[in-house]
Amino acid sequence: MSVVPGWLARLGAGLTQVGERLDERRAEVEKELGEPEPPPAPDRVPPPPVHAPAVTPRPHPVEAVPWGVRVAAEAGWRVLVLAGTVWVLMRVISAVQLVVLAFVAALLITALLQPTVARLQRHGVPRGPATALTAVLGFVVMGLIGWFVTWQVMENVDSLSNQIQDGIDELRKWLLNSPFHVTDKQINEIAKNLREAVGANTDQITSAGLEGVTVIVEALTGILLTMFSTLFLLYDGRRIWEWTLKLVPAAARPGVADAGPRAWRTLTAYVRGTVIVALIDAIFIGLGIYFLDVPMAVPLAVFIFLFSFIPLVGAVASGALAVVVALVTQGVFTGVMTLVVVLAVQQIEGHILQPFILGRAVRVHPLAVVLSVTAGGMIAGIGGAVVAVPLVAVTNTVVGSLRSYAAAIAAQQGLDRTPERMPQQTAPPSSDAVS
């Protein structure tokens, strides 16, 4: 029994020595290679140094922009979009200017003739014959007016040129004897400058004459388009309006459907009132210059009637034309009296006739009239100046109607929601009930 434990003891001692030698060898190898640093414990984070500054989070870029700048930017890009839309629209209108002016003229003529069609229908005339009869009579009357003016000018152009020459001689004598101390040399210099200006612009005058053929062709095309559009607007205007409403989004369709008839009533009242005012101006100014023996009184009256469709500017231009003709043909006194007649009639028109005939429905501020006429003339010439004011009047009516409709809808929605938001209150007893 004593032999076995001794053997085991020697074996254990040998294994222990081998283990110690292996540990010493491993320690030497690790010393030669370098001992790696032990990884940090996962639950312990080294604290930041004491001298490190505190890190504050950066704000969002939208929050960093001031409120006023954000509002200006939001409004700015919308204004740019609207301006770009208007610019594109104006470019399209200028590209098809003839078509647009013809259609607008057809709308104005339709507004003038539509009451006659409605009156004939009330008397039992079918819509087709009533439309044809009204359109034919209207265009015949307008054609006769144009033919009469042309005929009167052609008939009196020779005598008018002689009277103008005599009037210029009389005006020259009056200037020489006037208190303005105008000398014959100064008058000759003015006449020389005028002749030189005409001679310098001979090429432009010739080119304008050559372009007259193109103008005539465009005018005839516009007249045909106007007649064609007027005929269909008179006959089928309601169905055209109903088809146009289908192009409007469904949410805005009721408001537009309410604004359309109001705009049409405004346009009809404007055209009818303008025709009446222009007719009164032409009659009274024509009678005044007729009794003053001004030549071509009737053609001048027709010109005054036509120019009255251009607010403010047309009255000034036609009145100035009548005064110039009277001045150079009949002398200074007749010219001054013609000026008095023109100013008196225009003052009565501006302060009495227009407010009474046109009414408040189509009243436009004078500043808006001047700006719209000027802008229309710059964009589309005389045609643009004619349609500028009715366009502004109709736009004003449409905007007011849409605003009223939106306010009515908002009030209706508020009334519908009131019982849900507020409890129904019992009305206080009246004094009669108490007594």
Side-chain angles (χ1 to χ4, degrees), residues 37-44 46:
E37 297 181 358
D43 55 346
R44 297 186 62 185

Side-chain angles (χ1 to χ4, degrees), residues 320-355:
L321 178 63
V323 171
V324 169
V325 172
L327 180 64
V328 298
T329 56
Q330 299 296 325
V332 178
F333 177 76
T334 305
V336 173
M337 294 304 297
T338 303
L339 179 61
V340 171
V341 171
V342 170
L343 291 178
V345 173
Q346 289 181 356
Q347 290 298 315
I348 295 173
E349 169 213 333
H351 293 87
I352 298 177
L353 295 179
Q354 284 190 354

Side-chain angles (χ1 to χ4, degrees), residues 220-235:
L220 292 176
T221 305
I223 291 173
L224 292 177
L225 284 174
T226 302
M227 296 174 63
F228 190 77
S229 302
T230 302
L231 186 62
F232 279 96
L233 288 174
L234 285 173
Y235 180 74

Side-chain angles (χ1 to χ4, degrees), residues 246-307:
K246 296 179 181 179
L247 303 177
V248 181
R253 194 172 300 166
V256 176
D258 181 69
R262 295 188 183 185
W264 183 252
R265 286 193 295 269
T266 298
L267 183 62
T268 303
Y270 175 84
V271 174
R272 190 185 307 170
T274 302
V275 169
I276 295 174
V277 171
L279 189 61
I280 293 174
D281 283 351
I283 290 174
F284 283 97
I285 295 178
L287 289 175
I289 60 179
Y290 175 78
F291 287 115
L292 289 173
D293 292 332
V294 178
M296 293 200 308
V298 177
L300 286 175
V302 175
F303 275 117
I304 291 171
F305 172 78
L306 296 177
F307 274 82

